[in-house]
Amino acid sequence: MKKVLVVVVALASMNAFATRARVNALGNSPHLIDTQTVYSNPADMMMMGDYVTMESGVTGAAAANGNAEGMVTRSMGDSKMGLALGHQSANASAWSLRALSGLTFAPGTAMKSQQNPVEFSYGMKSADMAWAATLVYSNYNDKTATAEKESSMGIRTGLRMGALDAKLNLGLMNTYENAAAGKFKGNMGITAGAGYTMDNLYVSGELTMVGFKSEDAAGTEVKDFSATTIKASAVSSHKKDGNEFFYGAGLTSSSTKDKVGLEAKSSSLVLPVWMGLEVDAASWLTLRGSVAQNTLINNSKTENTTGTLTETAPGANSTVASVGAGMKFNKLTLDGSL
């Protein structure tokens, strides 16, 4: 058993949505609309009733999905507002870009995630179009000898109009500094994506471009890093009597490059295939699970100015399975995933 994530969702409507545990158990399939997908496309909150979510986790967690967080939304006519606490943004957490900084930290110090991040969301709905925007902010300053600082700011926007959805997320500020270790400064991160639903088929594409520069305490440049990822996917979803079975496939191309030193760079091309199932086993119990694997195409290559370091085509085993369950008590849902 790797980890159990427990989610409590108190709903102000009859919509049976959950959050991180449900999305994880269903393999983060791109066709899902859930309170957790609001952190990718803010317009998703307009597709649900008012809700409160509370995610269990560890303060200062150094692993993905290990942090505590929560969100509340409130409708006011055709508009809606949302407040989220503790959610770690993809590029400003301790397990993402900041973990790749290459800085050596002195004993007693640690790479900081966003500290007490807060998110404000606002959206409106008119006819069949809904749009929303989110402002992300965090700030931390330890004025002792370590002079440790952290700050981040970003904007997420999204819309849903009939069968079409689109999103644009911008990382405006992403910095970390420690007097004993050095500095990290992220470039403007950009994620843009769109999707379209045709009967039971959902097709989507996404482009992500991120990067950063880091230097040690002496001011020497350690890394000048950039990464680009392009994704395209298609998911077929079949629902009956409140149950859902889905399967999908995609193509993901990614590349990274560090312009400092030996100019290490890597590239990969994979074809992920996945399937999942969510079943109402009883009026109070929902069971769900998924399995995914990079199939047929699973190629990766790492090289620098001295030559090729590693290359696999196809690569090693990549099969991942997730299972979960949700228990419903009137307007309260308790979810977990394994």
Side-chain angles (χ1 to χ4, degrees), residues 71-271:
M71 185 176 187
V72 58
T73 65
R74 181 71 174 177
S75 297
M76 297 171 292
D78 292 331
S79 64
K80 180 180 285 190
M81 297 184 68
L83 171 66
L85 303 177
H87 180 75
Q88 294 290 323
S89 298
N91 296 327
S93 63
W95 54 85
S96 59
L97 288 183
R98 295 186 185 184
L100 301 176
S101 65
L103 303 181
T104 301
F105 290 88
T109 65
M111 173 62 70
K112 289 290 185 182
S113 292
Q114 290 170 295
Q115 299 297 292
N116 295 322
V118 60
E119 302 188 3
F120 299 97
S121 299
Y122 180 81
M124 292 193 69
K125 190 172 184 179
S126 176
D128 65 342
M129 185 183 75
W131 66 268
T134 300
L135 175 65
V136 181
Y137 177 77
S138 72
N139 193 28
Y140 170 83
N141 188 359
D142 183 351
K143 297 183 179 181
T144 60
T146 58
E148 196 170 35
K149 301 178 181 179
E150 180 277 327
S151 60
S152 67
M153 181 179 293
I155 295 175
R156 304 191 194 106
T157 60
L159 68 83
R160 285 191 174 271
M161 184 171 60
L164 175 68
D165 65 88
K167 63 183 179 182
L168 176 62
N169 303 335
L170 302 175
L172 305 179
M173 180 172 59
N174 181 12
T175 64
Y176 175 83
E177 179 179 348
N178 186 302
K183 299 179 180 179
F184 167 98
K185 184 176 182 180
N187 302 336
M188 177 180 284
I190 299 175
T191 297
Y196 191 81
T197 301
M198 298 174 288
D199 294 325
N200 295 328
L201 183 66
Y202 177 74
V203 294
S204 63
E206 182 178 289
L207 168 66
T208 300
M209 295 185 293
V210 296
F212 68 84
K213 293 183 179 181
S214 60
E215 60 183 51
D216 60 23
T220 302
E221 190 174 42
V222 177
K223 283 193 175 186
D224 185 350
F225 179 89
S226 61
T228 301
T229 301
I230 302 173
K231 298 180 181 179
S233 64
V235 184
S236 181
S237 173
H238 304 272
K239 298 180 180 180
K240 185 177 181 179
D241 300 329
N243 305 321
E244 179 185 10
F245 171 69
F246 61 87
Y247 54 91
L251 191 64
T252 301
S253 173
S254 62
S255 62
T256 67
K257 185 175 182 179
D258 182 7
K259 298 179 182 179
V260 177
L262 296 177
E263 297 186 2
K265 57 182 180 180
S266 65
S267 61
S268 67
L269 181 66
V270 299
L271 194 161

Side-chain angles (χ1 to χ4, degrees), residues 17-20 22-23 32-38 44 48:
F17 292 94
T19 57
R20 198 162 63 193
R22 175 176 181 260
V23 173
L32 297 174
I33 298 177
D34 199 288
T35 57
Q36 188 72 13
T37 65
V38 171
D44 285 1
M48 298 171 277

